[in-house]
Amino acid sequence: MHFVDNWKQLFRTYSVWSMILGFIAFIGGELLYAVWGIEADPYPLGLAALVFFIAGFVGRFVKQDVGSAPVRRTLFIVAFSFGVIMLVKSLGGAVYENSVLPDVTPMSEEQAAWQTARITLAMADKPLVPKRATASGLASEAEFLRVAIPFVAKWEGLRLVAYRDIVGVWTICFGETKGVKAGDVRTQAECEAMLARELISYRRQMHRYFAPETLRIRLPVYRDTAFTDLGYNVGIGAAGTSTAVRRLNAGLIAESCEAITWYKKAGGRVVRGLLIRRGGDFDYCMKGLVA
């Protein structure tokens, strides 16, 4: 492999620096999570990468002479300024938020069960979904399943014969993966009962990551369903320690709903089905929220 003789001069061009910054925006969020476990809003990063790459691409077609210097400089400054703002908004904002949001310390199963029972009993004589969704107690398991089963089943789809999912994991029924192997077959009734058991289990596990105040006043049945669906879809470990949960525990309800939409990848790439599913989670999370 041979490099051009004046390759160092490339780093003096606006277009090359635009592409370098675009690459940083492209991998910045993944790198931040891989090294420090900090989640960053992917939308500003994607926008920054797009602007940088477009500026770099266009810059390659502008004649590199003295006369075009003002045009190239203006193009780079505009793209650079906008891109940096987006980078700071996403990466800088994520680092700052990570430092100020309360850490998530999951309760033990016994503590979570006691807390849920206490809140449920205290709220038993109050409306399930009051006028303000920020002032609601936990729904009963029966009421939760009434909302959650059709919601989750809609996204998962019913498959009575085991199949490999998008990342190669054997799956059956409504997205069940535990103990599933090739050749497994279930009836619809078995699948529905399995989904109900799993959703209750995932709900209880997610509740371990919520602060008592969140369980008491910030988790009406639809928001409860949205967070349970997130845990069911991406795993309790990822969902329970997510920015979405930390924001909800801090009382940032709308912001926590927005953070749910970040989980749209499978196998390292954005999947349209997950993008739509996260939109459904967002709608349920925001349902009844009064500004």
Side-chain angles (χ1 to χ4, degrees):
M1 181 186 298
H2 298 283
F3 293 100
V4 295
D5 295 334
N6 64 339
W7 64 271
K8 292 183 180 179
Q9 298 297 317
L10 292 174
F11 291 95
R12 300 176 63 180
T13 64
Y14 295 129
S15 58
V16 168
W17 275 107
S18 292
M19 292 180 181
I20 291 173
L21 291 170
F23 182 71
I24 291 173
F26 185 72
I27 69 168
E30 302 293 339
L31 191 62
L32 193 66
Y33 186 77
V35 177
W36 290 286
I38 299 175
E39 296 174 294
D41 187 345
Y43 300 107
L45 286 177
L47 196 55
L50 179 64
V51 168
F52 281 134
F53 283 136
I54 289 176
F57 181 78
V58 172
R60 287 287 81 195
F61 287 88
V62 177
K63 189 174 182 179
Q64 309 291 303
D65 58 15
V66 176
S68 68
V71 175
R72 289 184 286 117
R73 186 181 302 111
T74 300
L75 177 66
F76 177 77
I77 290 174
V78 171
F80 178 82
S81 300
F82 179 80
V84 166
I85 290 172
M86 292 297 101
L87 284 174
V88 171
K89 175 180 172 60
S90 182
L91 299 180
V95 172
Y96 171 76
E97 187 174 43
N98 184 70
S99 68
V100 299
L101 285 181
D103 290 330
V104 177
T105 304
M107 294 182 283
S108 67
E109 292 184 11
E110 293 77 11
Q111 288 175 317
W114 178 86
Q115 180 70 23
T116 299
R118 186 176 68 83
I119 293 172
T120 301
L121 288 173
M123 300 296 294
D125 61 339
K126 298 186 178 182
L128 179 62
V129 182
K131 292 181 179 180
R132 292 185 63 88
T134 54
S136 171
L138 290 172
S140 67
E141 290 186 349
E143 179 62 20
F144 167 78
L145 289 175
R146 184 187 67 78
V147 174
I149 286 179
F151 180 78
V152 176
K154 174 178 65 175
W155 304 120
E156 294 290 349
L158 175 61
R159 300 283 288 273
L160 301 180
V161 179
Y163 67 99
R164 289 188 184 274
D165 68 5
I166 194 170
V167 293
V169 178
W170 284 106
T171 309
I172 200 169
C173 293
F174 297 102
E176 176 60 49
T177 59
K178 296 177 183 177
V180 180
K181 61 185 181 302
D184 283 353
V185 178
R186 297 286 186 272
T187 66
Q188 182 170 341
E190 288 174 330
C191 287
E192 291 173 349
M194 186 183 299
L195 178 60
R197 288 195 301 270
E198 286 298 298
L199 288 178
I200 291 299
S201 173
Y202 274 87
R203 184 197 191 207
R204 290 173 179 172
Q205 292 179 73
M206 284 299 299
H207 284 185
R208 294 175 57 198
Y209 291 88
F210 292 127
E213 189 73 359
T214 295
L215 291 171
R216 189 172 66 84
I217 66 172
R218 303 184 189 121
L219 211 63
V221 66
Y222 287 101
R223 190 170 302 126
D224 200 358
T225 296
F227 275 93
T228 300
D229 181 59
L230 181 67
Y232 186 78
N233 187 219
V234 307
I236 292 297
T241 58
S242 66
T243 297
V245 168
R246 295 179 69 187
R247 285 179 174 180
L248 189 60
N249 283 339
L252 304 172
I253 298 176
E255 292 84 351
S256 75
C257 297
E258 190 271 334
I260 287 178
T261 67
W262 299 354
Y263 289 84
K264 57 187 179 182
K265 289 185 177 181
R269 62 188 178 88
V270 175
V271 178
R272 177 171 172 76
L274 290 180
L275 194 62
I276 297 173
R277 182 170 184 166
R278 294 291 86 83
D281 288 335
F282 176 81
D283 291 341
Y284 264 39
C285 184
M286 292 290 291
K287 191 180 289 290
L289 183 64
V290 179

